[in-house]
Coordinates of all heavy atoms in Angstrom, one line a residue:
M1 N 5.9 6.2 21.8 CA 7.2 6.8 21.7 C 8.2 5.8 21.0 O 8.2 4.6 21.3 CB 7.7 7.1 23.1 CG 9.1 7.8 23.1 SD 9.7 8.5 24.7 CE 9.0 7.5 26.0
I2 N 9.0 6.3 20.1 CA 9.9 5.5 19.3 C 11.3 5.5 19.9 O 12.0 4.5 20.0 CB 9.9 5.9 17.9 CG1 8.5 5.6 17.3 CG2 10.9 5.1 17.1 CD1 8.3 6.2 15.9
A3 N 11.7 6.7 20.3 CA 13.1 6.8 20.8 C 13.3 8.1 21.7 O 12.5 9.0 21.6 CB 14.1 7.0 19.6
V4 N 14.3 8.0 22.5 CA 14.8 9.1 23.3 C 16.2 9.4 22.8 O 17.0 8.5 22.8 CB 14.8 8.7 24.8 CG1 15.4 9.8 25.6 CG2 13.4 8.4 25.3
L5 N 16.5 10.6 22.5 CA 17.8 11.0 22.0 C 18.5 11.9 23.1 O 17.9 12.8 23.7 CB 17.7 11.9 20.8 CG 16.8 11.3 19.6 CD1 16.7 12.3 18.5 CD2 17.4 10.0 19.2
Q6 N 19.7 11.5 23.4 CA 20.5 12.2 24.4 C 21.9 12.2 24.1 O 22.4 11.4 23.2 CB 20.2 11.5 25.8 CG 20.6 10.0 25.8 CD 20.1 9.4 27.1 OE1 19.4 9.9 27.9 NE2 20.5 8.1 27.3
G7 N 22.7 13.0 24.7 CA 24.2 13.0 24.4 C 25.1 13.5 25.5 O 26.2 13.7 25.3
H8 N 24.6 13.6 26.7 CA 25.3 14.2 27.8 C 26.6 13.4 28.2 O 27.6 14.1 28.6 CB 24.4 14.2 29.1 CG 25.1 14.9 30.2 ND1 25.3 16.2 30.3 CD2 25.6 14.3 31.3 CE1 25.9 16.5 31.4 NE2 26.1 15.3 32.1
T9 N 26.7 12.1 28.0 CA 27.8 11.4 28.5 C 29.0 11.3 27.5 O 30.0 10.7 27.8 CB 27.5 10.0 28.9 OG1 26.9 9.3 27.7 CG2 26.5 10.0 30.0
H10 N 28.9 11.9 26.3 CA 29.9 11.9 25.3 C 30.3 10.5 24.8 O 31.4 10.3 24.3 CB 31.2 12.6 25.8 CG 30.9 14.1 26.0 ND1 31.8 15.0 25.5 CD2 29.9 14.8 26.6 CE1 31.3 16.2 25.8 NE2 30.2 16.1 26.5
I11 N 29.4 9.5 24.9 CA 29.7 8.2 24.4 C 28.6 7.8 23.4 O 27.6 8.5 23.4 CB 29.8 7.1 25.5 CG1 28.5 7.0 26.3 CG2 31.0 7.4 26.4 CD1 28.5 5.8 27.3
N12 N 28.8 6.7 22.7 CA 27.8 6.3 21.7 C 27.3 5.0 22.1 O 28.0 4.0 22.2 CB 28.6 6.2 20.3 CG 27.6 6.1 19.2 OD1 26.5 6.7 19.2 ND2 28.0 5.4 18.2
E13 N 25.9 4.9 22.4 CA 25.3 3.6 22.7 C 23.8 3.7 22.4 O 23.2 4.7 22.3 CB 25.5 3.3 24.2 CG 24.8 4.2 25.2 CD 24.9 3.9 26.6 OE1 25.4 2.8 26.9 OE2 24.6 4.7 27.5
C14 N 23.3 2.5 22.4 CA 21.8 2.3 22.2 C 21.3 1.3 23.2 O 21.9 0.2 23.2 CB 21.5 1.9 20.8 SG 19.7 1.6 20.5
V15 N 20.3 1.6 24.0 CA 19.7 0.7 24.9 C 18.2 0.6 24.6 O 17.6 1.7 24.3 CB 19.9 1.2 26.4 CG1 19.1 0.4 27.3 CG2 21.3 1.4 26.8
V16 N 17.7 -0.6 24.5 CA 16.3 -0.8 24.2 C 15.6 -1.2 25.5 O 16.0 -2.2 26.1 CB 16.1 -1.8 23.1 CG1 14.6 -2.0 22.8 CG2 16.8 -1.4 21.8
Y17 N 14.5 -0.5 25.8 CA 13.8 -0.8 27.0 C 12.3 -0.6 26.7 O 11.9 0.5 26.3 CB 14.2 0.1 28.2 CG 13.4 -0.1 29.4 CD1 13.6 -1.2 30.2 CD2 12.5 0.9 29.9 CE1 12.8 -1.4 31.4 CE2 11.8 0.7 31.0 CZ 11.9 -0.5 31.8 OH 11.2 -0.6 32.9
K18 N 11.5 -1.7 26.8 CA 10.1 -1.6 26.5 C 9.8 -1.1 25.1 O 9.0 -0.2 24.9 CB 9.3 -0.8 27.6 CG 9.4 -1.5 29.0 CD 8.4 -0.8 29.9 CE 8.4 -1.6 31.2 NZ 7.5 -1.0 32.2
D19 N 10.5 -1.7 24.2 CA 10.4 -1.3 22.7 C 10.7 0.1 22.4 O 10.3 0.6 21.4 CB 9.0 -1.7 22.2 CG 8.7 -3.2 22.2 OD1 9.7 -3.9 22.0 OD2 7.6 -3.6 22.5
C20 N 11.4 0.8 23.3 CA 11.8 2.2 23.0 C 13.4 2.2 23.0 O 14.0 1.7 23.9 CB 11.3 3.1 24.0 SG 11.8 4.9 23.7
R21 N 13.9 2.8 22.0 CA 15.4 3.0 21.9 C 15.8 4.3 22.6 O 15.3 5.3 22.4 CB 15.9 3.0 20.4 CG 15.6 1.7 19.7 CD 16.1 1.9 18.3 NE 15.7 0.7 17.5 CZ 16.5 -0.4 17.3 NH1 17.7 -0.4 17.9 NH2 16.1 -1.4 16.6
Y22 N 16.8 4.1 23.4 CA 17.5 5.2 24.1 C 18.8 5.4 23.4 O 19.7 4.6 23.7 CB 17.6 5.0 25.6 CG 16.3 4.9 26.3 CD1 15.4 3.8 26.2 CD2 15.8 6.0 27.0 CE1 14.2 3.8 26.8 CE2 14.6 6.0 27.6 CZ 13.8 4.9 27.5 OH 12.5 4.9 28.1
L23 N 19.0 6.4 22.6 CA 20.2 6.6 21.8 C 21.0 7.7 22.5 O 20.5 8.9 22.7 CB 19.9 7.1 20.4 CG 19.1 6.1 19.5 CD1 18.7 6.8 18.2 CD2 19.9 4.9 19.3
T24 N 22.2 7.4 22.9 CA 23.2 8.3 23.4 C 24.2 8.6 22.4 O 24.8 7.6 21.9 CB 23.8 7.8 24.7 OG1 22.8 7.5 25.7 CG2 24.7 8.9 25.3
S25 N 24.4 9.8 22.0 CA 25.4 10.1 20.9 C 26.7 10.5 21.5 O 26.8 11.1 22.6 CB 24.8 11.2 20.0 OG 25.8 11.4 19.0
G26 N 27.8 10.2 20.8 CA 29.1 10.7 21.2 C 29.1 12.2 21.0 O 28.0 12.8 20.7
A27 N 30.2 12.9 21.1 CA 30.2 14.3 21.0 C 31.3 14.8 20.0 O 32.3 14.1 19.8 CB 30.6 14.9 22.4
V28 N 31.0 15.9 19.3 CA 32.0 16.4 18.4 C 33.2 16.8 19.1 O 34.3 16.8 18.4 CB 31.4 17.6 17.6 CG1 30.3 17.1 16.7 CG2 31.0 18.7 18.4
C29 N 33.2 17.1 20.4 CA 34.4 17.4 21.1 C 35.1 16.2 21.8 O 36.1 16.3 22.4 CB 34.1 18.5 22.2 SG 33.1 17.9 23.5
G30 N 34.5 15.0 21.6 CA 35.0 13.8 22.2 C 35.2 13.9 23.7 O 34.2 14.1 24.4
D31 N 36.4 13.8 24.2 CA 36.6 14.0 25.6 C 37.0 15.4 25.9 O 38.2 15.7 26.3 CB 37.7 13.0 26.1 CG 37.8 12.9 27.6 OD1 36.8 13.3 28.3 OD2 38.8 12.4 28.1
W32 N 36.2 16.3 25.6 CA 36.4 17.8 25.8 C 37.7 18.2 25.0 O 38.6 18.9 25.6 CB 36.4 18.1 27.3 CG 35.1 17.9 27.9 CD1 34.0 18.8 27.9 CD2 34.5 16.7 28.4 NE1 32.9 18.3 28.5 CE2 33.2 17.0 28.8 CE3 35.0 15.4 28.6 CZ2 32.4 16.0 29.3 CZ3 34.2 14.5 29.1 CH2 32.9 14.8 29.5
W33 N 37.7 17.9 23.8 CA 38.8 18.3 22.8 C 40.2 17.7 23.2 O 41.2 18.1 22.7 CB 38.9 19.8 22.7 CG 37.7 20.5 22.3 CD1 36.9 21.3 23.1 CD2 36.9 20.3 21.1 NE1 35.8 21.6 22.4 CE2 35.8 21.1 21.2 CE3 37.2 19.6 19.9 CZ2 34.8 21.2 20.2 CZ3 36.3 19.7 18.9 CH2 35.1 20.5 19.0
K34 N 40.2 16.6 24.0 CA 41.4 15.9 24.3 C 41.5 14.6 23.6 O 42.4 13.7 24.0 CB 41.5 15.7 25.8 CG 41.5 17.0 26.6 CD 41.5 16.7 28.1 CE 41.1 17.9 28.9 NZ 40.6 17.5 30.2
G35 N 40.7 14.3 22.7 CA 40.7 13.0 22.0 C 39.4 12.2 22.2 O 38.4 12.8 22.7
S36 N 39.5 10.9 21.9 CA 38.2 10.1 22.1 C 37.9 9.9 23.5 O 38.7 10.1 24.4 CB 38.4 8.8 21.4 OG 39.4 8.0 22.1
R37 N 36.6 9.7 23.7 CA 36.1 9.5 25.1 C 35.8 8.0 25.3 O 34.9 7.4 24.6 CB 34.8 10.3 25.3 CG 34.0 10.0 26.5 CD 34.4 10.9 27.6 NE 33.4 10.9 28.7 CZ 33.7 11.1 29.9 NH1 35.0 11.4 30.2 NH2 32.8 11.0 30.9
W38 N 36.5 7.3 26.1 CA 36.3 5.9 26.4 C 36.3 5.0 25.1 O 35.5 4.1 25.0 CB 35.0 5.6 27.2 CG 35.0 6.3 28.5 CD1 36.0 6.8 29.2 CD2 33.8 6.4 29.3 NE1 35.6 7.3 30.4 CE2 34.2 7.1 30.5 CE3 32.5 6.1 29.2 CZ2 33.4 7.4 31.5 CZ3 31.6 6.5 30.2 CH2 32.1 7.1 31.3
G39 N 37.1 5.4 24.2 CA 37.2 4.7 22.9 C 36.2 5.1 21.8 O 36.3 4.5 20.7
F40 N 35.4 6.0 22.1 CA 34.4 6.5 21.1 C 35.0 7.7 20.5 O 35.2 8.7 21.1 CB 33.1 6.9 21.8 CG 32.4 5.7 22.4 CD1 32.5 5.4 23.7 CD2 31.6 4.8 21.6 CE1 31.8 4.3 24.3 CE2 31.0 3.7 22.1 CZ 31.1 3.4 23.5
P41 N 35.2 7.7 19.1 CA 35.8 8.8 18.4 C 34.9 10.0 18.4 O 33.6 9.9 18.6 CB 36.1 8.3 17.0 CG 35.1 7.2 16.9 CD 34.9 6.6 18.2
E42 N 35.4 11.2 18.2 CA 34.7 12.4 18.1 C 33.7 12.3 16.9 O 34.1 11.8 15.8 CB 35.6 13.6 17.9 CG 36.6 13.8 19.0 CD 37.8 12.9 18.9 OE1 37.9 12.1 18.0 OE2 38.6 13.1 19.8
G43 N 32.5 12.7 17.1 CA 31.5 12.6 16.0 C 30.1 13.0 16.4 O 29.9 13.7 17.4
F44 N 29.1 12.6 15.6 CA 27.7 12.9 15.8 C 26.9 11.8 15.3 O 27.3 11.0 14.4 CB 27.4 14.3 15.2 CG 27.7 14.4 13.8 CD1 26.7 14.1 12.8 CD2 28.9 14.8 13.3 CE1 27.0 14.1 11.5 CE2 29.2 14.9 12.0 CZ 28.3 14.5 11.1
T45 N 25.6 11.7 15.7 CA 24.7 10.7 15.3 C 23.7 11.4 14.3 O 23.2 12.5 14.5 CB 23.9 10.1 16.4 OG1 24.9 9.5 17.3 CG2 22.9 9.1 16.0
V46 N 23.5 10.7 13.2 CA 22.5 11.1 12.2 C 21.3 10.2 12.4 O 21.4 8.9 12.3 CB 23.0 11.0 10.8 CG1 22.0 11.3 9.7 CG2 24.3 11.8 10.6
V47 N 20.1 10.7 12.6 CA 18.9 10.0 12.9 C 17.9 10.3 11.8 O 17.7 11.4 11.3 CB 18.3 10.4 14.2 CG1 17.0 9.6 14.5 CG2 19.3 10.1 15.4
S48 N 17.2 9.2 11.3 CA 16.2 9.3 10.3 C 14.9 8.6 10.8 O 15.0 7.5 11.3 CB 16.7 8.7 9.0 OG 15.6 8.8 8.0
L49 N 13.8 9.2 10.6 CA 12.5 8.6 11.0 C 11.6 8.6 9.7 O 11.2 9.7 9.3 CB 11.8 9.3 12.1 CG 10.5 8.7 12.7 CD1 10.7 7.3 13.2 CD2 10.0 9.6 13.7
R50 N 11.3 7.4 9.2 CA 10.5 7.3 8.0 C 9.4 6.3 8.2 O 9.8 5.1 8.6 CB 11.3 7.0 6.8 CG 12.2 8.2 6.3 CD 12.8 7.9 4.9 NE 13.5 9.1 4.6 CZ 14.9 9.1 4.5 NH1 15.5 8.1 4.9 NH2 15.5 10.2 4.2
D51 N 8.2 6.6 8.0 CA 7.1 5.6 8.1 C 7.1 4.9 9.4 O 6.9 3.7 9.5 CB 7.1 4.6 6.9 CG 7.0 5.3 5.6 OD1 6.2 6.2 5.5 OD2 7.6 4.8 4.6
G52 N 7.4 5.7 10.5 CA 7.5 5.1 11.8 C 8.6 4.2 12.1 O 8.7 3.6 13.2
K53 N 9.6 4.2 11.2 CA 10.8 3.3 11.4 C 12.0 4.2 11.6 O 12.3 5.2 10.9 CB 11.1 2.4 10.3 CG 9.9 1.4 10.1 CD 10.3 0.3 9.2 CE 9.1 -0.6 9.1 NZ 9.3 -1.8 8.4
L54 N 12.8 3.9 12.7 CA 13.9 4.7 13.1 C 15.2 4.0 12.5 O 15.4 2.8 12.6 CB 14.0 4.8 14.6 CG 15.2 5.5 15.2 CD1 15.0 7.0 15.1 CD2 15.4 5.1 16.6
S55 N 16.1 4.9 12.0 CA 17.4 4.4 11.6 C 18.4 5.5 12.1 O 18.1 6.6 12.2 CB 17.6 4.1 10.1 OG 17.4 5.3 9.4
Y56 N 19.6 5.0 12.3 CA 20.6 6.0 12.8 C 22.0 5.4 12.5 O 22.2 4.2 12.3 CB 20.5 6.2 14.3 CG 20.5 4.9 15.2 CD1 21.7 4.5 15.7 CD2 19.4 4.2 15.4 CE1 21.8 3.3 16.4 CE2 19.4 3.0 16.1 CZ 20.6 2.6 16.6 OH 20.7 1.4 17.4
R57 N 23.0 6.4 12.4 CA 24.4 6.0 12.2 C 25.2 7.0 12.9 O 24.8 8.2 13.1 CB 24.7 5.9 10.8 CG 24.7 7.2 10.0 CD 25.0 7.0 8.5 NE 25.1 8.3 7.8 CZ 24.1 9.1 7.4 NH1 22.9 8.7 7.6 NH2 24.4 10.2 6.8
Y58 N 26.4 6.6 13.3 CA 27.4 7.5 13.9 C 28.4 8.0 12.9 O 29.0 7.1 12.2 CB 28.0 6.8 15.1 CG 28.8 7.8 16.0 CD1 28.2 8.8 16.7 CD2 30.2 7.7 16.1 CE1 28.9 9.6 17.5 CE2 31.0 8.5 16.9 CZ 30.3 9.5 17.6 OH 31.0 10.3 18.4
E59 N 28.6 9.3 12.8 CA 29.6 9.8 11.8 C 30.7 10.4 12.6 O 30.6 11.2 13.5 CB 28.9 10.9 11.0 CG 27.8 10.5 10.1 CD 28.3 9.8 8.8 OE1 29.5 10.1 8.4 OE2 27.6 9.0 8.3
T60 N 31.9 10.0 12.2 CA 33.1 10.6 12.8 C 33.7 11.5 11.7 O 33.3 11.5 10.6 CB 34.2 9.5 13.1 OG1 34.6 8.8 11.9 CG2 33.6 8.5 14.2
Y61 N 34.6 12.4 12.1 CA 35.1 13.4 11.2 C 36.6 13.5 11.2 O 37.2 14.5 10.7 CB 34.4 14.7 11.3 CG 34.6 15.4 12.7 CD1 35.6 16.3 12.9 CD2 33.7 15.0 13.7 CE1 35.7 16.9 14.1 CE2 33.9 15.6 14.9 CZ 34.9 16.5 15.1 OH 35.0 17.1 16.4
G62 N 37.3 12.6 11.9 CA 38.8 12.6 11.9 C 39.5 13.7 12.7 O 40.6 14.0 12.4
F63 N 38.8 14.2 13.7 CA 39.4 15.2 14.6 C 40.6 14.6 15.3 O 40.6 13.5 15.8 CB 38.4 15.7 15.6 CG 39.0 16.7 16.6 CD1 39.2 18.0 16.3 CD2 39.4 16.2 17.9 CE1 39.8 18.9 17.3 CE2 39.9 17.1 18.8 CZ 40.1 18.4 18.5
K64 N 41.7 15.3 15.3 CA 42.9 14.9 16.0 C 43.3 16.0 17.1 O 43.5 17.1 16.7 CB 44.1 14.7 15.1 CG 43.9 13.7 14.0 CD 43.8 12.3 14.6 CE 43.6 11.3 13.5 NZ 42.9 10.1 14.0
S65 N 43.3 15.6 18.3 CA 43.6 16.6 19.4 C 45.1 16.9 19.4 O 45.9 16.1 19.0 CB 43.2 16.1 20.7 OG 43.9 15.0 21.1
V66 N 45.4 18.1 19.8 CA 46.8 18.6 19.9 C 46.9 19.0 21.3 O 46.2 19.9 21.8 CB 47.1 19.7 18.9 CG1 48.5 20.3 19.2 CG2 46.8 19.3 17.5
S67 N 47.8 18.4 22.1 CA 48.0 18.8 23.5 C 48.6 20.2 23.6 O 49.6 20.5 22.9 CB 49.0 17.8 24.1 OG 48.4 16.5 24.2
Q68 N 48.0 21.0 24.4 CA 48.5 22.3 24.7 C 49.2 22.3 26.1 O 48.6 21.7 27.0 CB 47.4 23.3 24.7 CG 46.7 23.4 23.3 CD 47.6 24.0 22.3 OE1 48.4 24.9 22.5 NE2 47.4 23.5 21.1
P69 N 50.4 22.9 26.2 CA 51.0 22.9 27.5 C 50.1 23.7 28.5 O 49.5 24.7 28.2 CB 52.3 23.6 27.3 CG 52.2 24.3 26.0 CD 51.1 23.6 25.2
T70 N 50.1 23.2 29.7 CA 49.4 24.0 30.8 C 50.2 25.2 31.2 O 51.4 25.3 30.8 CB 49.2 23.1 32.0 OG1 50.5 22.8 32.6 CG2 48.4 21.8 31.7
E71 N 49.6 26.1 32.0 CA 50.3 27.3 32.4 C 51.5 26.9 33.2 O 52.5 27.5 33.1 CB 49.3 28.1 33.2 CG 49.9 29.5 33.6 CD 48.9 30.4 34.3 OE1 47.7 30.2 34.0 OE2 49.3 31.2 35.1
L72 N 51.4 25.9 34.0 CA 52.5 25.5 34.9 C 53.6 24.9 34.0 O 54.8 25.2 34.2 CB 52.0 24.4 35.8 CG 53.1 23.9 36.9 CD1 53.6 25.0 37.7 CD2 52.5 22.8 37.7
E73 N 53.3 24.2 32.9 CA 54.3 23.6 32.0 C 55.0 24.8 31.2 O 56.1 24.6 30.8 CB 53.7 22.6 31.1 CG 53.3 21.3 31.8 CD 52.5 20.4 30.9 OE1 51.7 20.9 30.0 OE2 52.6 19.2 31.0
R74 N 54.3 25.9 31.0 CA 54.8 27.0 30.3 C 55.7 27.9 31.2 O 56.3 28.9 30.8 CB 53.7 27.9 29.7 CG 53.0 27.2 28.5 CD 52.1 28.2 27.8 NE 51.1 28.8 28.7 CZ 49.9 28.4 28.9 NH1 49.5 27.3 28.2 NH2 49.0 29.0 29.7
G75 N 55.7 27.5 32.5 CA 56.5 28.3 33.5 C 55.7 29.4 34.1 O 56.3 30.3 34.7
G76 N 54.4 29.4 34.0 CA 53.5 30.4 34.6 C 53.0 30.1 35.9 O 53.2 29.2 36.6

């Protein structure tokens, strides 16, 4: 096994354990469309596997969240 790919936590990290990379990717929605999650900008990971060698990079796309008033703030 070369790598395990996951993304549930919405953060970007790589942990190596017993010569296997565990890649956690950030999320295109960041912190559920409210901006970055723990300092990790909204984006996705691009993974390439060639000749048994893994490479990866994180791509951001410049998403800017816009706060929407809650129902209570709207008077509802």
Side-chain angles (χ1 to χ4, degrees):
M1 180 168 33
I2 295 172
V4 174
L5 308 177
Q6 55 191 10
H8 181 74
T9 59
H10 293 227
I11 63 171
N12 194 33
E13 70 177 346
C14 176
V15 175
V16 179
Y17 177 70
K18 294 189 176 183
D19 294 325
C20 181
R21 292 181 189 267
Y22 292 77
L23 299 173
T24 305
S25 182
V28 294
C29 70
D31 193 18
W32 294 269
W33 304 112
K34 297 177 197 161
S36 65
R37 169 94 167 151
W38 298 345
F40 295 97
E42 299 82 358
F44 55 92
T45 299
V46 177
V47 177
S48 177
L49 182 61
R50 289 196 178 103
D51 299 321
K53 295 191 180 188
L54 178 77
S55 65
Y56 56 93
R57 69 182 187 279
Y58 190 67
E59 295 283 334
T60 61
Y61 61 95
F63 174 81
K64 300 293 181 204
S65 65
V66 177
S67 295
Q68 298 293 325
T70 65
E71 188 174 332
L72 184 58
E73 291 170 329
R74 287 191 304 267

